[in-house]
mmCIF file of all heavy atoms in Angstrom:
data_model
loop_
_atom_site.group_PDB
_atom_site.id
_atom_site.type_symbol
_atom_site.label_atom_id
_atom_site.label_comp_id
_atom_site.label_asym_id
_atom_site.label_seq_id
_atom_site.Cartn_x
_atom_site.Cartn_y
_atom_site.Cartn_z
ATOM 1 N N SER A 1 -2.535 -12.212 8.963
ATOM 2 C CA SER A 1 -2.782 -13.371 8.120
ATOM 3 C C SER A 1 -2.844 -13.021 6.636
ATOM 4 O O SER A 1 -3.023 -13.897 5.803
ATOM 5 C CB SER A 1 -4.091 -14.054 8.520
ATOM 6 O OG SER A 1 -5.166 -13.163 8.399
ATOM 7 N N GLY A 2 -2.733 -11.735 6.325
ATOM 8 C CA GLY A 2 -2.647 -11.327 4.931
ATOM 9 C C GLY A 2 -3.937 -10.783 4.331
ATOM 10 O O GLY A 2 -3.983 -10.470 3.134
ATOM 11 N N SER A 3 -4.970 -10.645 5.130
ATOM 12 C CA SER A 3 -6.212 -10.038 4.620
ATOM 13 C C SER A 3 -5.964 -8.548 4.403
ATOM 14 O O SER A 3 -5.303 -7.878 5.205
ATOM 15 C CB SER A 3 -7.354 -10.233 5.616
ATOM 16 O OG SER A 3 -7.648 -11.600 5.734
ATOM 17 N N THR A 4 -6.526 -8.030 3.297
ATOM 18 C CA THR A 4 -6.248 -6.643 2.932
ATOM 19 C C THR A 4 -7.493 -5.797 2.813
ATOM 20 O O THR A 4 -8.607 -6.339 2.614
ATOM 21 C CB THR A 4 -5.503 -6.602 1.578
ATOM 22 O OG1 THR A 4 -6.312 -7.248 0.583
ATOM 23 C CG2 THR A 4 -4.167 -7.321 1.669
ATOM 24 N N ASN A 5 -7.285 -4.488 2.910
ATOM 25 C CA ASN A 5 -8.384 -3.528 2.793
ATOM 26 C C ASN A 5 -7.803 -2.283 2.123
ATOM 27 O O ASN A 5 -6.665 -1.910 2.428
ATOM 28 C CB ASN A 5 -8.965 -3.199 4.149
ATOM 29 C CG ASN A 5 -10.180 -2.325 4.024
ATOM 30 O OD1 ASN A 5 -11.147 -2.649 3.318
ATOM 31 N ND2 ASN A 5 -10.184 -1.192 4.716
ATOM 32 N N TYR A 6 -8.592 -1.667 1.241
ATOM 33 C CA TYR A 6 -8.098 -0.519 0.485
ATOM 34 C C TYR A 6 -9.080 0.644 0.517
ATOM 35 O O TYR A 6 -10.297 0.455 0.573
ATOM 36 C CB TYR A 6 -7.865 -0.920 -0.990
ATOM 37 C CG TYR A 6 -6.843 -1.977 -1.171
ATOM 38 C CD1 TYR A 6 -7.192 -3.328 -1.226
ATOM 39 C CD2 TYR A 6 -5.498 -1.638 -1.321
ATOM 40 C CE1 TYR A 6 -6.228 -4.315 -1.406
ATOM 41 C CE2 TYR A 6 -4.538 -2.617 -1.506
ATOM 42 C CZ TYR A 6 -4.911 -3.948 -1.536
ATOM 43 O OH TYR A 6 -3.963 -4.918 -1.727
ATOM 44 N N ALA A 7 -8.522 1.827 0.446
ATOM 45 C CA ALA A 7 -9.344 3.002 0.211
ATOM 46 C C ALA A 7 -9.930 2.899 -1.188
ATOM 47 O O ALA A 7 -9.317 2.378 -2.104
ATOM 48 C CB ALA A 7 -8.512 4.275 0.346
ATOM 49 N N ASP A 8 -11.160 3.434 -1.351
ATOM 50 C CA ASP A 8 -11.808 3.358 -2.650
ATOM 51 C C ASP A 8 -10.960 3.988 -3.741
ATOM 52 O O ASP A 8 -10.975 3.549 -4.880
ATOM 53 C CB ASP A 8 -13.180 4.036 -2.580
ATOM 54 C CG ASP A 8 -14.208 3.240 -1.793
ATOM 55 O OD1 ASP A 8 -13.970 2.023 -1.578
ATOM 56 O OD2 ASP A 8 -15.224 3.799 -1.407
ATOM 57 N N SER A 9 -10.243 5.043 -3.394
ATOM 58 C CA SER A 9 -9.474 5.790 -4.392
ATOM 59 C C SER A 9 -8.301 5.002 -4.977
ATOM 60 O O SER A 9 -7.795 5.364 -6.044
ATOM 61 C CB SER A 9 -8.936 7.088 -3.781
ATOM 62 O OG SER A 9 -8.114 6.795 -2.671
ATOM 63 N N VAL A 10 -7.902 3.910 -4.327
ATOM 64 C CA VAL A 10 -6.745 3.143 -4.827
ATOM 65 C C VAL A 10 -7.108 1.720 -5.183
ATOM 66 O O VAL A 10 -6.236 0.981 -5.683
ATOM 67 C CB VAL A 10 -5.580 3.161 -3.809
ATOM 68 C CG1 VAL A 10 -5.245 4.575 -3.410
ATOM 69 C CG2 VAL A 10 -5.901 2.302 -2.580
ATOM 70 N N LYS A 11 -8.331 1.292 -4.939
ATOM 71 C CA LYS A 11 -8.733 -0.078 -5.263
ATOM 72 C C LYS A 11 -8.495 -0.399 -6.720
ATOM 73 O O LYS A 11 -8.842 0.408 -7.604
ATOM 74 C CB LYS A 11 -10.222 -0.287 -4.931
ATOM 75 C CG LYS A 11 -10.477 -0.580 -3.468
ATOM 76 C CD LYS A 11 -11.957 -0.800 -3.241
ATOM 77 C CE LYS A 11 -12.253 -1.035 -1.752
ATOM 78 N NZ LYS A 11 -13.691 -1.152 -1.463
ATOM 79 N N GLY A 12 -7.933 -1.542 -6.973
ATOM 80 C CA GLY A 12 -7.665 -1.975 -8.336
ATOM 81 C C GLY A 12 -6.356 -1.432 -8.895
ATOM 82 O O GLY A 12 -5.907 -1.882 -9.959
ATOM 83 N N ARG A 13 -5.716 -0.490 -8.212
ATOM 84 C CA ARG A 13 -4.458 0.073 -8.670
ATOM 85 C C ARG A 13 -3.298 -0.216 -7.724
ATOM 86 O O ARG A 13 -2.170 -0.404 -8.175
ATOM 87 C CB ARG A 13 -4.584 1.609 -8.812
ATOM 88 C CG ARG A 13 -5.651 2.041 -9.805
ATOM 89 C CD ARG A 13 -5.584 3.554 -10.051
ATOM 90 N NE ARG A 13 -5.823 4.347 -8.840
ATOM 91 C CZ ARG A 13 -4.949 5.211 -8.350
ATOM 92 N NH1 ARG A 13 -3.794 5.412 -8.952
ATOM 93 N NH2 ARG A 13 -5.250 5.899 -7.258
ATOM 94 N N PHE A 14 -3.556 -0.259 -6.443
ATOM 95 C CA PHE A 14 -2.527 -0.467 -5.437
ATOM 96 C C PHE A 14 -2.683 -1.870 -4.838
ATOM 97 O O PHE A 14 -3.808 -2.372 -4.691
ATOM 98 C CB PHE A 14 -2.627 0.539 -4.302
ATOM 99 C CG PHE A 14 -2.249 1.951 -4.666
ATOM 100 C CD1 PHE A 14 -2.064 2.342 -5.983
ATOM 101 C CD2 PHE A 14 -2.079 2.914 -3.681
ATOM 102 C CE1 PHE A 14 -1.715 3.645 -6.313
ATOM 103 C CE2 PHE A 14 -1.737 4.216 -3.964
ATOM 104 C CZ PHE A 14 -1.564 4.588 -5.302
ATOM 105 N N THR A 15 -1.562 -2.462 -4.434
ATOM 106 C CA THR A 15 -1.568 -3.760 -3.761
ATOM 107 C C THR A 15 -0.636 -3.710 -2.557
ATOM 108 O O THR A 15 0.545 -3.407 -2.698
ATOM 109 C CB THR A 15 -1.098 -4.880 -4.711
ATOM 110 O OG1 THR A 15 -1.945 -4.915 -5.863
ATOM 111 C CG2 THR A 15 -1.159 -6.230 -4.001
ATOM 112 N N ILE A 16 -1.196 -4.010 -1.389
ATOM 113 C CA ILE A 16 -0.380 -4.084 -0.176
ATOM 114 C C ILE A 16 -0.005 -5.526 0.058
ATOM 115 O O ILE A 16 -0.779 -6.456 -0.202
ATOM 116 C CB ILE A 16 -1.176 -3.508 1.035
ATOM 117 C CG1 ILE A 16 -0.293 -3.398 2.265
ATOM 118 C CG2 ILE A 16 -2.436 -4.319 1.319
ATOM 119 C CD1 ILE A 16 -0.959 -2.665 3.441
ATOM 120 N N SER A 17 1.214 -5.738 0.523
ATOM 121 C CA SER A 17 1.680 -7.099 0.817
ATOM 122 C C SER A 17 2.714 -7.048 1.938
ATOM 123 O O SER A 17 3.177 -5.974 2.319
ATOM 124 C CB SER A 17 2.283 -7.755 -0.429
ATOM 125 O OG SER A 17 3.413 -7.026 -0.864
ATOM 126 N N ARG A 18 3.067 -8.227 2.433
ATOM 127 C CA ARG A 18 4.056 -8.280 3.517
ATOM 128 C C ARG A 18 4.894 -9.544 3.350
ATOM 129 O O ARG A 18 4.414 -10.560 2.839
ATOM 130 C CB ARG A 18 3.370 -8.270 4.856
ATOM 131 C CG ARG A 18 2.466 -9.462 5.145
ATOM 132 C CD ARG A 18 1.606 -9.222 6.397
ATOM 133 N NE ARG A 18 2.413 -9.059 7.582
ATOM 134 C CZ ARG A 18 1.997 -8.460 8.681
ATOM 135 N NH1 ARG A 18 0.771 -7.952 8.750
ATOM 136 N NH2 ARG A 18 2.789 -8.360 9.742
ATOM 137 N N ASP A 19 6.139 -9.452 3.808
ATOM 138 C CA ASP A 19 7.036 -10.593 3.843
ATOM 139 C C ASP A 19 7.483 -10.737 5.309
ATOM 140 O O ASP A 19 8.353 -9.997 5.783
ATOM 141 C CB ASP A 19 8.243 -10.343 2.927
ATOM 142 C CG ASP A 19 9.147 -11.559 2.837
ATOM 143 O OD1 ASP A 19 9.163 -12.387 3.766
ATOM 144 O OD2 ASP A 19 9.867 -11.663 1.833
ATOM 145 N N ASN A 20 6.859 -11.666 6.005
ATOM 146 C CA ASN A 20 7.153 -11.819 7.448
ATOM 147 C C ASN A 20 8.570 -12.301 7.691
ATOM 148 O O ASN A 20 9.151 -12.025 8.723
ATOM 149 C CB ASN A 20 6.146 -12.770 8.079
ATOM 150 C CG ASN A 20 4.765 -12.173 8.197
ATOM 151 O OD1 ASN A 20 4.577 -10.944 8.138
ATOM 152 N ND2 ASN A 20 3.749 -13.014 8.318
ATOM 153 N N ALA A 21 9.155 -12.993 6.727
ATOM 154 C CA ALA A 21 10.538 -13.455 6.896
ATOM 155 C C ALA A 21 11.518 -12.286 6.872
ATOM 156 O O ALA A 21 12.603 -12.369 7.437
ATOM 157 C CB ALA A 21 10.900 -14.461 5.828
ATOM 158 N N LYS A 22 11.130 -11.212 6.185
ATOM 159 C CA LYS A 22 11.995 -10.041 6.043
ATOM 160 C C LYS A 22 11.541 -8.864 6.913
ATOM 161 O O LYS A 22 12.140 -7.801 6.861
ATOM 162 C CB LYS A 22 12.071 -9.600 4.582
ATOM 163 C CG LYS A 22 12.710 -10.620 3.665
ATOM 164 C CD LYS A 22 12.780 -10.081 2.241
ATOM 165 C CE LYS A 22 13.473 -11.056 1.316
ATOM 166 N NZ LYS A 22 13.521 -10.559 -0.081
ATOM 167 N N ASN A 23 10.466 -9.065 7.673
ATOM 168 C CA ASN A 23 9.896 -7.966 8.474
ATOM 169 C C ASN A 23 9.659 -6.720 7.631
ATOM 170 O O ASN A 23 9.997 -5.589 8.036
ATOM 171 C CB ASN A 23 10.814 -7.627 9.662
ATOM 172 C CG ASN A 23 10.702 -8.620 10.794
ATOM 173 O OD1 ASN A 23 10.033 -9.655 10.663
ATOM 174 N ND2 ASN A 23 11.373 -8.356 11.881
ATOM 175 N N THR A 24 9.099 -6.916 6.469
ATOM 176 C CA THR A 24 8.934 -5.826 5.524
ATOM 177 C C THR A 24 7.537 -5.844 4.940
ATOM 178 O O THR A 24 7.009 -6.906 4.602
ATOM 179 C CB THR A 24 9.975 -5.908 4.398
ATOM 180 O OG1 THR A 24 11.294 -5.853 4.976
ATOM 181 C CG2 THR A 24 9.828 -4.734 3.443
ATOM 182 N N MET A 25 6.971 -4.644 4.780
ATOM 183 C CA MET A 25 5.668 -4.470 4.120
ATOM 184 C C MET A 25 5.889 -3.666 2.859
ATOM 185 O O MET A 25 6.808 -2.837 2.803
ATOM 186 C CB MET A 25 4.719 -3.715 5.070
ATOM 187 C CG MET A 25 3.369 -3.401 4.466
ATOM 188 S SD MET A 25 2.252 -2.575 5.626
ATOM 189 C CE MET A 25 3.082 -1.010 5.881
ATOM 190 N N TYR A 26 5.064 -3.925 1.872
ATOM 191 C CA TYR A 26 5.191 -3.266 0.572
ATOM 192 C C TYR A 26 3.877 -2.628 0.148
ATOM 193 O O TYR A 26 2.789 -3.014 0.574
ATOM 194 C CB TYR A 26 5.623 -4.275 -0.489
ATOM 195 C CG TYR A 26 6.857 -5.039 -0.172
ATOM 196 C CD1 TYR A 26 6.799 -6.316 0.366
ATOM 197 C CD2 TYR A 26 8.116 -4.482 -0.380
ATOM 198 C CE1 TYR A 26 7.949 -7.033 0.689
ATOM 199 C CE2 TYR A 26 9.270 -5.202 -0.083
ATOM 200 C CZ TYR A 26 9.173 -6.455 0.450
ATOM 201 O OH TYR A 26 10.313 -7.152 0.764
ATOM 202 N N LEU A 27 4.003 -1.645 -0.733
ATOM 203 C CA LEU A 27 2.845 -1.091 -1.418
ATOM 204 C C LEU A 27 3.205 -0.939 -2.895
ATOM 205 O O LEU A 27 4.052 -0.085 -3.229
ATOM 206 C CB LEU A 27 2.421 0.244 -0.825
ATOM 207 C CG LEU A 27 1.141 0.854 -1.414
ATOM 208 C CD1 LEU A 27 -0.071 -0.009 -1.003
ATOM 209 C CD2 LEU A 27 0.956 2.294 -0.936
ATOM 210 N N GLN A 28 2.632 -1.809 -3.712
ATOM 211 C CA GLN A 28 2.827 -1.698 -5.165
ATOM 212 C C GLN A 28 1.759 -0.762 -5.717
ATOM 213 O O GLN A 28 0.574 -1.003 -5.513
ATOM 214 C CB GLN A 28 2.692 -3.095 -5.802
ATOM 215 C CG GLN A 28 2.783 -3.064 -7.313
ATOM 216 C CD GLN A 28 4.162 -2.706 -7.815
ATOM 217 O OE1 GLN A 28 5.177 -3.183 -7.276
ATOM 218 N NE2 GLN A 28 4.241 -1.836 -8.829
ATOM 219 N N MET A 29 2.210 0.275 -6.398
ATOM 220 C CA MET A 29 1.306 1.299 -6.897
ATOM 221 C C MET A 29 1.402 1.304 -8.417
ATOM 222 O O MET A 29 2.467 1.583 -8.981
ATOM 223 C CB MET A 29 1.667 2.660 -6.321
ATOM 224 C CG MET A 29 1.633 2.702 -4.797
ATOM 225 S SD MET A 29 2.024 4.317 -4.110
ATOM 226 C CE MET A 29 3.803 4.335 -4.354
ATOM 227 N N ASN A 30 0.294 1.040 -9.078
ATOM 228 C CA ASN A 30 0.218 1.032 -10.529
ATOM 229 C C ASN A 30 -0.758 2.110 -11.011
ATOM 230 O O ASN A 30 -1.582 2.600 -10.252
ATOM 231 C CB ASN A 30 -0.244 -0.346 -11.039
ATOM 232 C CG ASN A 30 0.724 -1.449 -10.660
ATOM 233 O OD1 ASN A 30 1.930 -1.243 -10.554
ATOM 234 N ND2 ASN A 30 0.188 -2.650 -10.450
ATOM 235 N N SER A 31 -0.660 2.436 -12.276
ATOM 236 C CA SER A 31 -1.555 3.442 -12.881
ATOM 237 C C SER A 31 -1.636 4.691 -12.002
ATOM 238 O O SER A 31 -2.716 5.190 -11.708
ATOM 239 C CB SER A 31 -2.963 2.840 -13.059
ATOM 240 O OG SER A 31 -2.914 1.692 -13.862
ATOM 241 N N LEU A 32 -0.480 5.178 -11.629
ATOM 242 C CA LEU A 32 -0.433 6.316 -10.717
ATOM 243 C C LEU A 32 -1.014 7.573 -11.376
ATOM 244 O O LEU A 32 -0.899 7.780 -12.581
ATOM 245 C CB LEU A 32 1.002 6.572 -10.273
ATOM 246 C CG LEU A 32 1.462 5.618 -9.151
ATOM 247 C CD1 LEU A 32 2.976 5.556 -9.093
ATOM 248 C CD2 LEU A 32 0.897 6.067 -7.817
ATOM 249 N N LYS A 33 -1.627 8.384 -10.536
ATOM 250 C CA LYS A 33 -2.262 9.621 -10.969
ATOM 251 C C LYS A 33 -1.634 10.794 -10.207
ATOM 252 O O LYS A 33 -1.121 10.604 -9.104
ATOM 253 C CB LYS A 33 -3.760 9.586 -10.649
ATOM 254 C CG LYS A 33 -4.509 8.389 -11.207
ATOM 255 C CD LYS A 33 -5.952 8.366 -10.730
ATOM 256 C CE LYS A 33 -6.701 7.182 -11.245
ATOM 257 N NZ LYS A 33 -8.117 7.163 -10.789
ATOM 258 N N PRO A 34 -1.713 11.988 -10.750
ATOM 259 C CA PRO A 34 -1.166 13.147 -10.020
ATOM 260 C C PRO A 34 -1.760 13.277 -8.624
ATOM 261 O O PRO A 34 -1.055 13.718 -7.693
ATOM 262 C CB PRO A 34 -1.566 14.322 -10.915
ATOM 263 C CG PRO A 34 -1.596 13.746 -12.272
ATOM 264 C CD PRO A 34 -2.145 12.367 -12.111
ATOM 265 N N GLU A 35 -3.036 12.894 -8.444
ATOM 266 C CA GLU A 35 -3.648 13.001 -7.126
ATOM 267 C C GLU A 35 -3.132 11.979 -6.135
ATOM 268 O O GLU A 35 -3.489 12.011 -4.945
ATOM 269 C CB GLU A 35 -5.178 12.893 -7.227
ATOM 270 C CG GLU A 35 -5.682 11.708 -7.999
ATOM 271 C CD GLU A 35 -5.996 12.078 -9.462
ATOM 272 O OE1 GLU A 35 -5.199 12.803 -10.113
ATOM 273 O OE2 GLU A 35 -7.049 11.592 -9.959
ATOM 274 N N ASP A 36 -2.283 11.068 -6.549
ATOM 275 C CA ASP A 36 -1.593 10.150 -5.641
ATOM 276 C C ASP A 36 -0.361 10.785 -5.023
ATOM 277 O O ASP A 36 0.281 10.175 -4.136
ATOM 278 C CB ASP A 36 -1.193 8.867 -6.364
ATOM 279 C CG ASP A 36 -2.391 8.050 -6.820
ATOM 280 O OD1 ASP A 36 -3.360 7.928 -6.054
ATOM 281 O OD2 ASP A 36 -2.337 7.542 -7.964
ATOM 282 N N THR A 37 -0.003 11.972 -5.476
ATOM 283 C CA THR A 37 1.152 12.674 -4.920
ATOM 284 C C THR A 37 0.947 12.927 -3.433
ATOM 285 O O THR A 37 -0.058 13.519 -3.018
ATOM 286 C CB THR A 37 1.371 13.995 -5.652
ATOM 287 O OG1 THR A 37 1.740 13.736 -7.000
ATOM 288 C CG2 THR A 37 2.473 14.812 -4.980
ATOM 289 N N ALA A 38 1.918 12.455 -2.638
ATOM 290 C CA ALA A 38 1.794 12.572 -1.177
ATOM 291 C C ALA A 38 3.050 12.006 -0.527
ATOM 292 O O ALA A 38 3.857 11.365 -1.199
ATOM 293 C CB ALA A 38 0.560 11.819 -0.679
ATOM 294 N N VAL A 39 3.160 12.250 0.771
ATOM 295 C CA VAL A 39 4.131 11.504 1.555
ATOM 296 C C VAL A 39 3.428 10.236 2.067
ATOM 297 O O VAL A 39 2.340 10.313 2.652
ATOM 298 C CB VAL A 39 4.661 12.324 2.748
ATOM 299 C CG1 VAL A 39 5.619 11.495 3.573
ATOM 300 C CG2 VAL A 39 5.309 13.602 2.263
ATOM 301 N N TYR A 40 4.049 9.110 1.834
ATOM 302 C CA TYR A 40 3.468 7.819 2.205
ATOM 303 C C TYR A 40 4.132 7.329 3.502
ATOM 304 O O TYR A 40 5.354 7.265 3.586
ATOM 305 C CB TYR A 40 3.646 6.806 1.078
ATOM 306 C CG TYR A 40 2.672 7.051 -0.043
ATOM 307 C CD1 TYR A 40 2.821 8.147 -0.903
ATOM 308 C CD2 TYR A 40 1.567 6.210 -0.247
ATOM 309 C CE1 TYR A 40 1.912 8.391 -1.904
ATOM 310 C CE2 TYR A 40 0.641 6.456 -1.245
ATOM 311 C CZ TYR A 40 0.820 7.542 -2.070
ATOM 312 O OH TYR A 40 -0.085 7.803 -3.076
ATOM 313 N N TYR A 41 3.280 6.992 4.466
ATOM 314 C CA TYR A 41 3.729 6.580 5.785
ATOM 315 C C TYR A 41 3.350 5.131 6.099
ATOM 316 O O TYR A 41 2.226 4.720 5.788
ATOM 317 C CB TYR A 41 3.155 7.480 6.870
ATOM 318 C CG TYR A 41 3.548 8.921 6.801
ATOM 319 C CD1 TYR A 41 2.782 9.845 6.110
ATOM 320 C CD2 TYR A 41 4.694 9.381 7.460
ATOM 321 C CE1 TYR A 41 3.137 11.183 6.072
ATOM 322 C CE2 TYR A 41 5.069 10.690 7.419
ATOM 323 C CZ TYR A 41 4.294 11.597 6.705
ATOM 324 O OH TYR A 41 4.638 12.919 6.677
ATOM 325 N N CYS A 42 4.211 4.473 6.767
ATOM 326 C CA CYS A 42 3.988 3.137 7.288
ATOM 327 C C CYS A 42 3.488 3.257 8.715
ATOM 328 O O CYS A 42 3.964 4.086 9.481
ATOM 329 C CB CYS A 42 5.320 2.400 7.205
ATOM 330 S SG CYS A 42 5.367 0.793 7.987
ATOM 331 N N ASN A 43 2.499 2.427 9.077
ATOM 332 C CA ASN A 43 1.951 2.446 10.432
ATOM 333 C C ASN A 43 1.919 1.066 11.046
ATOM 334 O O ASN A 43 1.556 0.086 10.352
ATOM 335 C CB ASN A 43 0.529 3.007 10.392
ATOM 336 C CG ASN A 43 -0.198 2.876 11.722
ATOM 337 O OD1 ASN A 43 -0.916 1.928 11.956
ATOM 338 N ND2 ASN A 43 0.021 3.851 12.594
ATOM 339 N N ALA A 44 2.229 1.020 12.338
ATOM 340 C CA ALA A 44 2.138 -0.254 13.067
ATOM 341 C C ALA A 44 1.667 -0.006 14.485
ATOM 342 O O ALA A 44 2.307 0.744 15.225
ATOM 343 C CB ALA A 44 3.516 -0.946 13.106
ATOM 344 N N PRO A 45 0.542 -0.632 14.862
ATOM 345 C CA PRO A 45 0.112 -0.554 16.257
ATOM 346 C C PRO A 45 0.861 -1.632 17.053
ATOM 347 O O PRO A 45 0.645 -2.818 16.851
ATOM 348 C CB PRO A 45 -1.368 -0.874 16.181
ATOM 349 C CG PRO A 45 -1.521 -1.707 14.936
ATOM 350 C CD PRO A 45 -0.380 -1.380 14.022
ATOM 351 N N ALA A 46 1.795 -1.214 17.912
ATOM 352 C CA ALA A 46 2.613 -2.180 18.626
ATOM 353 C C ALA A 46 2.864 -1.710 20.048
ATOM 354 O O ALA A 46 3.043 -0.511 20.275
ATOM 355 C CB ALA A 46 3.937 -2.394 17.904
#
């Protein structure tokens, strides 16, 4: 339904969203820091 939850380390900087018509999820990342360096994975319990 679009309710979101964030890790404290990214609150206020990252935004998760989804487009159900496109079967696609997004993560908008702003004010990136060197400590955000990582491999980012998508997860779905299905």
Side-chain angles (χ1 to χ4, degrees):
S1 60
S3 296
T4 59
N5 186 53
Y6 298 93
D8 288 344
S9 59
V10 306
K11 277 181 183 176
R13 299 188 299 121
F14 290 12
T15 302
I16 188 172
S17 62
R18 63 192 298 158
D19 185 335
N20 289 340
K22 295 182 178 179
N23 283 7
T24 301
M25 177 178 66
Y26 305 98
L27 185 68
Q28 176 68 43
M29 302 182 285
N30 299 328
S31 302
L32 281 159
K33 305 175 181 180
E35 50 264 43
D36 295 318
T37 294
V39 178
Y40 284 73
Y41 296 93
C42 172
N43 172 266

